[in-house]
Amino acid sequence: MARALRRFIHLVLFCPLSKGLQSRLPSVKVKYLLLAWLGVLVASWVLYMQYASYSELCRGNVCRAVICDHYSRGVISGSYCKALCEQKTLTLGHCMSTSSQHQVYGGHWKKRPVVIKCGIEEGAKTDSGPDSLLRHQGSLFDKPTRGTSMDEFKEMLQNFLKANFGEQPSLSALADRLISLADVNQDSKLSLAEAKSIWALLHVNEFLLMVALQEKEHTPKLLGFCGDLYVTEPLGHTSLYRLEVPPYLQTLVPGALISGLNRWLAPAWPRRARITIGLLEFVEEVFHGPYGSFLICDSSPRHVGYNAKYDCKIADLRAVASEATVRAHLKGRRCESNADCTYGRDCTATCDRLAKRCNAEVVQPNLAKVCALLQDFLLFGAPPELRGDLERQLRTCVTLSGLASQMEVHHSLVLNNLKTLLWKTISNTQYS
C-alpha cells in the first residue's frame, strides 16, 4: 500500500501529463492535474522563500552569543545581562524582525511577555565564522576608553545629544538621565563597561528616542538593556493592519484582496477611532517638545501599533527622527529634483534647481502624513452621519503643506477639529 501511494505521489508531481496516469485515473481531467502540479510548485516556492527570509532575518542565537561573550569578558554591562546570560530568565521567542541588522523578538522575562531588540552589523553576514561576528560587534564598544573621567564622559554625552537634537536647554538633564540609566548597580559611579554600553545604545536611533520620549504616553516603555540589546514592553498589535503580505508574495496576491481581508479583521470602528486619537496625540507630543521637534519619516502602518486596550503605541521609533538630524542631512545636499532631498522614506524638502542644493525644511508636516495613513483605516465602517464630515476633515488634513513655522496655528486647528469630532462620537461609551 505504501509503495502504491509513493508511486501515485510521484506521478502527480512529476508526470501530470503522462498516459500512464491518465489510464489509472481516467475520470481526472489533465487540466486539474496541471493546476495541482502548479499549486505544489507555488507552495514549495513560498515555503522556500519563507525559510530563506527567516534564516536571514532571524539570528537571535548570534545576538545572544555576541552579547553574552562581551558580558562574560566584562566589556559591557546592563540591567538584563544576568537574566540573559546567567539566570536564563530572559528568553528570546518568536521572531518579528523585518531587517537582518535589527533583530526583534517576542520573548519572556520571568515568564512575563517582553520585546527584545538587538543589532547585527552588515559586515557580519559576509563572514560565517563565530570569531568574525564577535570582531564585527567589538567596534561598537570601543568608546569611551580607559582613563576617561566622569566629566569628560558627560561632555561626550552632551556633544552627542547636541549633534542629534540641536541646541536645546534640556540636554544637560537628558545626559543626567542617561548616566542614571547606565548606573546599573546604583552606586552613583559609572564603570567602564556601563559607560561603553550606554554609549553603544545611544547610536541606536530608536533607543535614543525612547529615552528622550519616555514620558510620552504613546512611546513603548523601556524595561532594561544589556550592551546594545534592549528590552521594551510588549504590544498586542505591532501594525495598524493585522494581515501583512511578505514582499515576495505581493505580486501574486491582489491588493484588493488584502485590503478586504484587513477590513474584515480590523477592530470595531469606535476602537479604530480610539487608536486614531492616540496617533494624533503622538503627533502633538513630538511637536515642539523639550528636545525640539521630531519628524515621522516613514509613515507606514507597520510602525503604528496598539495594545489590548486599543491605546496607540509607536511600534517602531526608527521611523522617527529629530528635526535637527533631518535638517543637517538635507541642508546643502546636492540635488536635481525634490526626490533627491529626502530623508528616510518621506521626509522631503524642496530642491533649489538653480543652486542644485536642497533646502533644509521638510515640506509635508507629520499631521498630513498621518492623515493619509488614516484615510483607509478610519473611513470604512464609519457611522453614516459622521462619514461626510470625517472625509472632509481628512481631505483638508492630507493637503497640509508649507513651512512649519508658517502653519503652526493651522496645523493645531486641523488636528484639534479632527480629535474633537472623534471624541464626540465615542465619548461616554465603553470605547472612551
Side-chain angles (χ1 to χ4, degrees):
M1 182 67 182
R3 182 178 179 184
L5 181 61
R6 286 197 301 270
R7 182 172 177 79
F8 173 75
I9 293 173
H10 176 81
L11 289 171
V12 170
L13 292 177
F14 301 107
C15 307
L17 302 178
S18 68
K19 293 182 179 179
L21 181 59
Q22 293 179 49
S23 64
R24 290 173 186 271
L25 301 172
S27 62
V28 179
K29 300 292 185 180
V30 172
K31 64 179 180 180
Y32 296 127
L33 293 175
L34 181 60
L35 288 174
W37 181 58
L38 290 174
V40 170
L41 289 178
V42 170
S44 301
W45 177 73
V46 169
L47 289 174
Y48 170 76
M49 292 298 294
Q50 188 72 17
Y51 171 77
S53 63
Y54 183 89
S55 61
E56 173 70 15
L57 295 177
C58 303
R59 294 181 289 158
N61 59 325
V62 174
C63 280
R64 187 190 292 107
V66 170
I67 290 295
C68 291
D69 174 79
H70 283 88
Y71 173 65
S72 66
R73 293 189 288 116
V75 176
I76 62 172
S77 180
S79 54
Y80 274 43
C81 286
K82 284 187 177 180
L84 178 69
C85 302
E86 295 179 6
Q87 300 166 347
K88 310 295 184 184
T89 53
L90 177 63
T91 57
L92 280 67
H94 65 282
C95 176
M96 302 186 294
S97 305
T98 57
S99 166
S100 59
Q101 298 175 63
H102 187 68
Q103 302 282 292
V104 183
Y105 294 86
H108 287 87
W109 177 67
K110 295 183 178 179
K111 299 184 179 180
R112 289 187 293 180
V114 294
V115 174
I116 304 165
K117 301 185 178 184
C118 68
I120 297 179
E121 289 188 6
E122 182 72 23
K125 295 194 299 181
T126 60
D127 196 338
S128 58
D131 292 339
S132 69
L133 296 175
L134 302 178
R135 189 170 61 250
H136 284 302
Q137 296 298 100
S139 60
L140 290 172
F141 307 108
D142 59 354
K143 290 183 181 180
T145 57
R146 189 173 298 278
T148 302
S149 69
M150 194 64 184
D151 289 338
E152 289 173 328
F153 183 61
K154 185 171 182 180
E155 186 178 356
M156 282 175 61
L157 290 178
Q158 290 180 324
N159 289 336
F160 180 85
L161 295 174
K162 189 183 298 183
N164 281 269
F165 297 145
E167 290 281 358
Q168 304 295 338
S170 304
L171 292 186
S172 180
L174 181 56
D176 289 336
R177 183 190 300 175
L178 289 166
I179 289 172
S180 177
L181 183 65
D183 184 12
V184 176
N185 56 11
Q186 298 297 305
D187 62 354
S188 300
K189 301 176 183 178
L190 282 191
S191 67
L192 187 59
E194 289 171 337
K196 284 178 181 290
S197 297
I198 202 68
W199 184 253
L201 280 167
L202 284 180
H203 291 77
V204 180
N205 178 60
E206 182 176 48
F207 179 88
L208 177 59
L209 295 185
M210 200 171 286
V211 175
L213 301 174
Q214 69 171 357
E215 297 172 357
K216 307 302 183 184
E217 181 182 354
H218 305 293
T219 302
K221 300 305 178 187
L222 176 69
L223 301 179
F225 64 94
C226 180
D228 68 332
L229 175 148
Y230 55 104
V231 183
T232 71
E233 66 171 322
L235 299 180
H237 303 276
T238 56
S239 174
L240 275 184
Y241 299 111
R242 299 189 181 185
L243 185 62
E244 291 189 46
V245 179
Y248 54 84
L249 282 181
Q250 289 175 359
T251 55
L252 300 177
V253 182
L257 175 61
I258 299 302
S259 178
L261 288 173
N262 272 320
R263 289 184 176 188
W264 183 68
L265 294 170
W269 186 87
R271 286 175 172 153
R272 280 183 276 129
R274 180 181 173 87
I275 295 167
T276 297
I277 291 169
L279 184 54
L280 294 174
E281 288 174 346
F282 177 76
V283 172
E284 287 182 300
E285 289 172 351
V286 299
F287 193 61
H288 290 334
Y291 308 116
S293 295
F294 295 86
L295 301 175
I296 300 172
C297 291
D298 189 349
S299 52
S300 165
R302 296 194 312 272
H303 299 147
V304 182
Y306 54 94
N307 60 20
K309 296 180 180 179
Y310 299 93
D311 297 320
C312 175
K313 298 281 185 178
I314 303 303
D316 191 346
L317 281 168
R318 292 181 301 161
V320 179
S322 71
E323 185 179 38
T325 297
V326 176
R327 289 173 68 90
H329 174 82
L330 294 175
K331 189 175 182 180
R333 188 180 183 88
R334 184 170 179 79
C335 63
E336 297 293 336
S337 66
N338 290 352
D340 299 324
C341 303
T342 302
Y343 181 93
R345 191 171 72 105
D346 51 15
C347 277
T348 302
T350 56
C351 174
D352 184 337
R353 287 183 171 81
L354 292 177
K356 294 190 180 298
R357 297 292 176 184
C358 294
N359 295 311
E361 194 150 7
V362 172
V363 173
Q364 191 179 34
N366 288 336
L367 185 57
K369 299 171 194 173
V370 164
C371 286
L373 178 64
L374 290 170
Q375 277 185 315
D376 187 53
F377 179 74
L378 194 58
L379 285 177
F380 75 88
E385 67 277 10
L386 182 72
R387 184 180 175 90
D389 197 6
L390 184 59
E391 197 167 4
R392 281 191 296 273
Q393 291 205 27
L394 284 173
R395 193 183 307 120
T396 300
C397 179
V398 168
T399 57
L400 286 173
S401 63
L403 304 182
S405 56
Q406 299 172 0
M407 58 165 292
E408 186 170 341
V409 175
H410 190 203
H411 176 282
S412 299
L413 182 64
V414 171
L415 189 149
N416 288 328
N417 285 345
L418 188 53
K419 272 180 60 179
T420 301
L421 179 64
L422 295 174
W423 266 125
K424 280 184 178 179
T425 308
I426 67 170
S427 61
N428 301 319
T429 69
Q430 60 176 322
Y431 302 105
S432 63

